Amino acid sequence: METYLFRKHIHRLPGKVIHAVPLPKPEVTEGFGARGHIGELCRAAGYKQVLVVTDKTLHELGYEKKISESLEAAGIRYRLFADICSEPTIPVIDAGRQAAMESQAECIIALGGGSVMDSCKIIAAGVKMPHLPSKVLLPKFLLVPGDTLPVIMVPSTAGTGAEITVGAVVTNERGKKGSTVLVGLKVVHVVLDSELTFHAPQSVTAACGIDALSHCIEGVVSDVEENAEDMRMSMEGVRLILQNLPKLTGERGSSLPDEEAIEARGNMCRAALYGGNAINTQLAGYVHAFAHSIGAKYHLPHGQAISLMLLPVLEFQQSACREKYEKMAQYCGVPDFLEAVRALLKECGMDKITSPVKEEDHEELIKMVAADSINYSAPVTMNNRQIKDILEQITK
Ligand SMILES: [Fe+2]
């Protein structure tokens, strides 16, 4: 009970703290193949030497070639660092910092998913603090003197929103994943190149899309003081995903870059960016608190854990969020908001995630969910009984 009262008492605090963190205000360039303009962007910014960072898979697919060719055409020197792995650790950050410092990079180009973009945030901060070892760059808040090195984000999936979020998830020296909020993150440009998202299998497109949807919805319903523009972006993100994700998954899904798929993927990229803005300005909520806990306990990928938890949490919050659900239904042109989410999950095959949750783990999960929820500003504060009720719904 004490814990619940504590949670209830402080649940508006994260929303106030996050507003004290300066947010990146990047320019956005969009379009199929847009990464081919990065050379011009760098020349216009006056960079002479940059570091291109990506992961092995994208490197093997040759996805950074369009970037390197454009840099060459613009007369900009670059070094490639393609060693980011799916769960970045301190040695990976160290190697990236070294590559950035040795090459005297003036800007980092981050091509990849959340892992690459988050690693680049810490690398860009680390370059500005060369005297500090990487292991101390991962506190809850990292104050970067001045700003980080400028970063150009080029997301390869439409989901995490990491291209704009001020948080970075990296595994620390104790092997534990943690999120660090960067105060002074300088993302100068976001390049939304829908061509990059074509390589993903339908299941990944769907999982990333539902993750982005959850960011936008949790942003709309959050208890953070309302800002009209942030609210508009989050609502627009919900609308874009409800309308476009079905075109890319299930029977209607096309992996060919035809006109409809290019437009739908471009819209998903924009929605994911709006989702990232929602995380920065409105914060996530219990969908994420449950998904993080279940993901960590059973190693369930984030998008799947989100898909598993989305409806149970949204249904639980229904009475507190009725007005906002109606507003979203109206904005998106659907008769019933929850029904539209249910239909979308079904249409993109994310309604049948096998739940790994076991009865004997409930007590541990309740603690994990309660602890994680303190980072957010959800519309209701759940007590342990309510958390348990939701866990029971998804227990085998
Ligand atoms: Fe998420």
Side-chain angles (χ1 to χ4, degrees):
M1 182 55 95
E2 269 173 29
T3 332
Y4 171 68
L5 287 176
F6 172 68
R7 292 201 298 269
K8 194 160 173 52
H9 192 65
I10 67 155
H11 95 279
R12 296 202 80 165
L13 194 61
K16 297 207 185 312
V17 171
I18 198 75
H19 282 149
V21 175
L23 299 178
K25 298 264 180 265
E27 279 185 48
V28 178
T29 298
E30 297 176 81
F32 186 84
R35 68 192 186 287
H37 299 299
I38 288 177
E40 298 155 36
L41 299 178
C42 288
R43 185 166 50 194
Y47 305 136
K48 302 264 182 307
Q49 174 81 45
V50 299
L51 179 72
V52 180
V53 179
T54 190
D55 62 30
K56 283 197 181 78
T57 311
L58 290 172
H59 177 51
E60 277 163 17
L61 286 166
Y63 274 23
E64 87 281 357
K65 278 209 185 92
K66 249 186 199 167
I67 298 176
S68 47
E69 283 165 9
S70 83
L71 291 168
E72 281 161 21
I76 291 156
R77 293 186 303 275
Y78 67 91
R79 177 161 166 183
L80 176 68
F81 178 77
D83 289 336
I84 304 290
C85 47
S86 64
E87 298 204 336
T89 54
I90 303 276
V92 173
I93 300 292
D94 266 336
R97 277 177 86 183
Q98 207 179 338
M101 289 194 285
E102 277 173 8
S103 62
Q104 295 183 316
E106 297 157 281
C107 172
I108 295 177
I109 297 163
L111 166 69
S115 303
V116 170
M117 293 188 283
D118 283 1
S119 299
C120 285
K121 294 171 191 172
I122 303 293
I123 292 169
V127 170
K128 288 295 186 83
M129 294 178 277
H131 53 290
L132 294 179
S134 296
K135 66 177 182 184
V136 302
L137 296 177
L138 304 174
K140 204 123 179 95
F141 288 87
L142 179 65
L143 272 80
V144 186
D147 284 323
T148 65
L149 209 61
V151 185
I152 296 176
M153 296 290 192
V154 195
S156 62
T157 56
T160 64
E163 58 271 28
I164 187 123
T165 55
V166 285
V169 177
V170 172
T171 303
N172 67 19
E173 84 273 27
R174 294 185 301 281
K176 225 178 148 242
K177 257 204 234 177
S179 180
T180 295
V181 171
L182 287 102
V183 181
L185 175 64
K186 192 174 176 186
V187 178
V188 287
H189 223 107
V190 171
V191 178
L192 299 178
D193 183 347
S194 55
E195 187 184 9
L196 293 166
T197 70
F198 275 91
H199 78 283
Q202 270 201 13
S203 58
V204 173
T205 301
C208 291
I210 297 298
D211 186 27
L213 177 71
S214 73
H215 301 152
C216 295
I217 297 174
E218 294 217 283
V220 171
V221 302
S222 92
D223 201 24
V224 171
E225 203 175 319
E226 224 173 286
N227 169 288
E229 182 56 9
D230 294 330
M231 191 56 103
R232 187 200 66 78
M233 282 195 254
S234 297
M235 302 260 273
E236 179 64 2
V238 175
R239 187 188 74 81
L240 287 172
I241 296 167
L242 287 178
Q243 289 187 354
N244 291 280
L245 189 54
K247 295 177 188 166
L248 302 171
T249 54
E251 276 172 26
R252 286 169 69 197
S254 165
S255 57
L256 295 171
D258 56 34
E259 216 173 288
E260 193 185 23
I262 288 174
E263 193 190 344
R265 284 183 184 275
N267 286 335
M268 288 302 297
C269 290
R270 180 149 275 269
L273 179 70
Y274 290 159
N277 181 70
I279 296 174
N280 273 351
T281 60
Q282 300 168 315
L283 299 174
Y286 278 99
V287 178
H288 274 78
F290 276 94
H292 285 155
S293 307
I294 291 166
K297 172 79 185 156
Y298 305 106
H299 304 288
L300 189 64
H302 184 66
Q304 290 186 34
I306 289 286
S307 301
L308 181 68
M309 294 317 307
L310 188 57
L311 272 177
V313 172
L314 295 186
E315 280 166 356
F316 172 83
Q317 294 176 163
Q318 195 168 8
S319 56
C321 301
R322 198 171 301 277
E323 230 174 87
K324 286 191 173 161
Y325 288 3
E326 278 169 14
K327 220 166 143 184
M328 279 192 280
Q330 210 175 15
Y331 186 93
C332 300
V334 296
D336 181 288
F337 171 66
L338 284 185
E339 280 312 311
V341 173
R342 199 186 315 278
L344 177 69
L345 285 168
K346 193 166 176 207
E347 213 165 340
C348 65
M350 298 307 281
D351 61 330
K352 290 191 181 64
I353 304 295
T354 309
S355 170
V357 175
K358 297 189 192 78
E359 176 89 44
E360 63 259 37
D361 298 330
H362 279 193
E363 287 313 307
E364 185 185 351
L365 286 169
I366 289 169
K367 285 190 192 126
M368 290 170 82
V369 171
D372 198 63
S373 73
I374 285 176
N375 297 312
Y376 311 126
S377 197
V380 285
T381 306
M382 291 188 196
N383 62 34
N384 289 359
R385 179 67 245 176
Q386 291 165 327
I387 296 174
K388 189 169 173 60
D389 284 348
I390 290 179
L391 287 173
E392 267 162 12
Q393 285 181 42
I394 51 149
T395 298
K396 292 191 268 189

